[in-house]
Amino acid sequence: EAKAGGENKKPAGGKEPPPALRIDLEGCEGRVMAFPLPSGDYAALKAVDGGILYFKEKEIRQFKLEDKKDSLVIGGVDSGVLSADGQKILYQARNQFGIVGLGADQKAGDGALDLSRLTMKIDPPREWAQIFRDGWRIFRDWFYQKNLHGVDWQGILDKYARMLPSLSHRADLDFIFGEMVGEVNAGHTYVNWGDFPRVPRIDTGLLGAELKADEKAGRYLIAKIYPGENWNEETRSPLDEQGVGVQAGDYLIALNGSDVTIRDNPYRFLENTVGRKVSIKVSARPDGASAREYWIKPIQSERGLFYLDWVRSRREMVDRLSGGRIGYIHVPDTATQGNRELFKGMYAYGRKEALIIDARYNGGGFIPVVMAELLARKTLNYWARRGLEMNPDPGVAHDGSKAMLINGYSSSGGDALPYYFKKKKLGPLIGTRTWGGLIGLSGNPDFADGGSLSVPTFGFVDDQGRWAVEGEGVHPDIEVVDRPELVAAGKDPCVEKAVQVLLEELKRQPREKPAVPAEPDRSRWKEEETR
């Protein structure tokens, strides 16, 4: 609530100055009003004369206070900035910019600006010096601890500023930033590239398969085809898609119209083919007799397929070693994919006697409070249906023994998940100490050329009021090292140890699911009531 206060003198131009602003906090909660708009994602609210301007779903809209009406100002835009006088909007719609007023029902393209001759002259050494100073100040002002882990930050400025006259490329400045923020000895201090020319990347298409040279035949054998989840582009397997009849053991005869022998690098025929249809010819014989031709779309990366194959092999190992009694869930991060995999796994394996939650190589993401609560969830009751097994409630819960696997690549949210697992006493941690990076990012200003430093703005404190995990990690209850020679031989020491520990736990404390009780005879109740 604004109230006039103080004495305002009339300026020489004769225009009345705005009244001085005073916020009346007394009873302000009673003056709160809800806008009569449906629930939704509203952003960038701005006060304008007579109403509120806001952004929603590629639209800038205005809600007028007088008649309580909501109207479209401009649609099809990605963002907008209100002018200082509140009368104009500078909008962006992809690569197009324009200026419009606050009238109704405008669209992208109205008031478009011609920026074809807009140029900017930059003196790189002077810009780099400015960016260096900005980076030093941003890190000083946004870091989660005022003393910057005890580092003399002014001394750091003086130390690294001496290198500025020697810079010859924007990447040199990134190198200096990396050294400078490394002095703080903190996680999540990332240097993100600035503005400099880059060579356009031409991707080589990949098949999602392993090729093996048959020197006697002079051809490549398709030794293995990685099965995919082909509804997802990140895990699509070109040779595993519907309608493609390539099989492991086939000889590769031709790719993209070119004959392929072991004298060739077969991937040179797949240059610049990602997502484009190309032909592949295969045959059960190296001479190409009865060759079969299919049209496939090569993929950019096989990482997703390698990951799926690794998870499946761990799951099969756990199933084999435990006789099907233990479920296995790998949680790759604590962001979208990790949450999805954990929820899927809890649905699929919630009725197993025990669970292995594999958080090795977990790259973090969000703080995994919800994930920890899901792992700690217990059955509250069962629902019995005639002729069927009883269903537990909640439907996604696990009452049996659990173990979590960790290693030095369990980082950030991957540090927090095993910390919460241990805090809730859900089971032993097995493996090696986690990364130890549990200070987080919530955003900070960028540089003038689009580069940035990621500055951690909040740190982890335990429930006793002590700094924890950052710089130390989470220690396992049972230390197991995944030795490389054992992994190369197809072993997985952490998985094997977890199965052993859980089977021993099940001997001591079997998971007992209650049987369906005898059907109640309620006729006796009625007889007693009659008496």
Side-chain angles (χ1 to χ4, degrees):
E1 180 176 334
K3 291 189 176 180
E7 189 174 328
N8 295 304
K9 293 184 178 179
K10 202 169 186 178
K15 188 176 180 181
E16 290 288 343
L21 187 68
R22 182 173 67 85
I23 305 298
D24 186 0
L25 298 177
E26 184 70 28
C28 65
E29 67 277 4
R31 299 192 297 272
V32 172
M33 297 178 63
F35 285 111
L37 298 176
S39 60
D41 186 8
Y42 298 91
L45 275 68
K46 296 287 184 182
V48 294
D49 188 21
I52 300 292
L53 210 63
Y54 67 91
F55 187 85
K56 180 184 180 184
E57 299 173 355
K58 288 190 170 291
E59 294 181 345
I60 297 176
R61 305 185 67 88
Q62 182 175 193
F63 179 83
K64 293 186 178 179
L65 298 174
E66 184 177 357
D67 55 13
K68 306 293 189 298
K69 287 186 178 179
D70 179 65
S71 62
L72 172 68
V73 176
I74 183 170
V77 300
D78 298 314
S79 62
V81 178
L82 186 66
S83 63
D85 63 3
Q87 300 300 311
K88 299 286 185 181
I89 297 171
L90 171 65
Y91 71 83
Q92 178 185 2
R94 294 190 177 182
N95 296 324
Q96 184 181 56
F97 293 83
I99 296 176
V100 295
L102 301 188
D105 297 325
Q106 301 171 95
K107 61 184 183 299
D110 293 348
L113 298 175
D114 181 7
L115 304 179
S116 60
R117 300 187 63 184
L118 180 66
T119 60
M120 179 182 292
K121 188 172 184 178
I122 296 173
D123 182 350
R126 291 181 64 185
E127 183 181 63
W128 297 339
Q130 173 195 327
I131 290 173
F132 172 78
R133 183 79 183 196
D134 287 345
W136 177 85
R137 292 176 60 207
I138 289 168
F139 208 90
R140 177 197 66 189
D141 296 341
W142 289 75
F143 194 68
Y144 80 109
Q145 288 187 355
K146 188 175 182 180
N147 74 344
L148 288 98
H149 286 182
V151 172
D152 176 9
W153 201 238
Q154 182 61 47
I156 292 295
L157 176 69
D158 299 337
K159 174 182 176 180
Y160 286 97
R162 292 197 295 269
M163 303 174 70
L164 292 177
S166 301
L167 297 184
S168 60
H169 193 277
R170 178 63 174 79
D172 296 339
L173 180 58
D174 286 336
F175 174 80
I176 291 177
F177 275 141
E179 296 296 301
M180 184 175 78
V181 301
E183 301 265 7
V184 180
N185 193 23
H188 294 82
T189 50
Y190 307 124
V191 179
N192 304 306
W193 288 354
D195 180 25
F196 55 85
R198 296 171 177 81
V199 177
R201 181 184 177 95
I202 305 280
D203 288 312
T204 296
L206 299 171
L207 300 174
E210 290 182 7
L211 304 181
K212 180 181 178 182
D214 184 337
E215 295 189 11
K216 183 178 179 181
R219 295 281 189 186
Y220 289 100
L221 268 172
I222 298 175
K224 177 176 180 177
I225 297 173
Y226 287 91
E229 293 178 345
N230 294 330
W231 57 87
N232 182 352
E233 182 62 27
E234 293 183 2
T235 53
R236 182 173 62 82
S237 182
L239 304 187
D240 185 47
E241 290 194 273
Q242 186 171 354
V244 179
V246 179
Q247 299 175 5
D250 281 340
Y251 284 94
L252 178 59
I253 305 301
L255 266 178
N256 205 14
S258 298
D259 186 66
V260 180
T261 70
I262 60 172
R263 294 190 301 270
D264 304 302
N265 177 346
Y267 294 101
R268 75 184 182 91
F269 302 118
L270 295 173
E271 184 178 296
N272 202 24
T273 62
V274 173
R276 294 170 47 199
K277 284 194 173 183
V278 300
S279 67
I280 181 172
K281 282 187 180 180
V282 296
S283 173
R285 295 166 51 92
D287 61 6
S290 301
R292 312 184 311 275
E293 183 178 20
Y294 304 98
W295 288 85
I296 63 171
K297 288 196 298 183
I299 54 178
Q300 182 180 29
S301 172
E302 294 172 327
R303 284 185 59 190
L305 295 176
F306 294 162
Y307 170 72
L308 281 181
D309 185 70
W310 183 81
V311 171
R312 286 184 182 122
S313 65
R314 303 309 95 178
R315 187 170 292 139
E316 290 167 1
M317 182 185 298
V318 170
D319 201 56
R320 184 182 71 253
L321 293 175
S322 71
R325 301 176 69 188
I326 301 175
Y328 171 89
I329 305 170
H330 184 261
V331 185
D333 55 39
T334 58
T336 304
Q337 185 181 0
N339 275 271
R340 182 172 60 241
E341 291 302 312
L342 180 60
F343 273 79
K344 283 168 55 180
M346 290 293 285
Y347 271 107
Y349 307 114
R351 299 190 183 186
K352 294 283 188 179
E353 295 178 63
L355 285 180
I356 295 173
I357 311 300
D358 194 346
R360 293 176 297 176
Y361 312 103
N362 184 303
F366 310 127
I367 303 302
V369 173
V370 172
M371 301 174 80
E373 290 174 347
L374 177 63
L375 289 171
R377 190 183 291 174
K378 301 295 183 184
T379 299
L380 298 177
N381 73 283
Y382 291 87
W383 296 102
R385 296 178 184 272
R386 181 175 174 176
L388 299 175
E389 287 187 3
M390 293 194 300
N391 290 328
D393 212 348
V396 184
H398 185 263
D399 300 318
S401 302
K402 300 179 186 69
M404 179 170 283
L405 310 185
I406 57 174
N407 64 7
Y409 294 97
S410 307
S411 53
S412 189
D415 286 295
L417 185 59
Y419 181 92
Y420 294 154
F421 190 87
K422 192 169 189 173
K423 182 76 175 174
K424 289 177 174 289
K425 297 183 172 63
L426 299 180
L429 300 178
I430 299 173
T432 53
R433 182 165 57 98
T434 65
W435 179 54
L438 208 47
I439 50 180
L441 306 172
S442 55
N444 54 268
D446 293 341
F447 300 144
D449 70 345
S452 67
L453 292 177
S454 294
V455 188
T457 54
F458 54 92
F460 190 89
V461 179
D462 68 16
D463 60 358
Q464 302 299 310
R466 301 167 300 200
W467 295 110
V469 184
E470 170 66 22
E472 178 183 358
V474 179
H475 294 266
D477 299 300
I478 303 171
E479 186 173 51
V480 176
V481 178
D482 288 327
R483 294 173 51 139
E485 74 275 16
L486 296 177
V487 173
K491 304 285 187 180
D492 193 319
C494 276
V495 164
E496 293 166 11
K497 185 64 175 180
V499 171
Q500 176 193 337
V501 168
L502 289 174
L503 288 178
E504 291 173 356
E505 174 69 19
L506 288 174
K507 283 183 182 178
R508 293 191 300 271
Q509 189 174 351
R511 180 183 178 186
E512 296 181 357
K513 179 182 175 181
V516 179
E519 295 184 9
D521 183 1
R522 305 214 169 167
S523 61
R524 180 173 53 82
W525 295 3
K526 191 169 184 179
E527 290 174 4
E528 291 176 353
E529 288 175 2
T530 303
R531 293 196 201 107

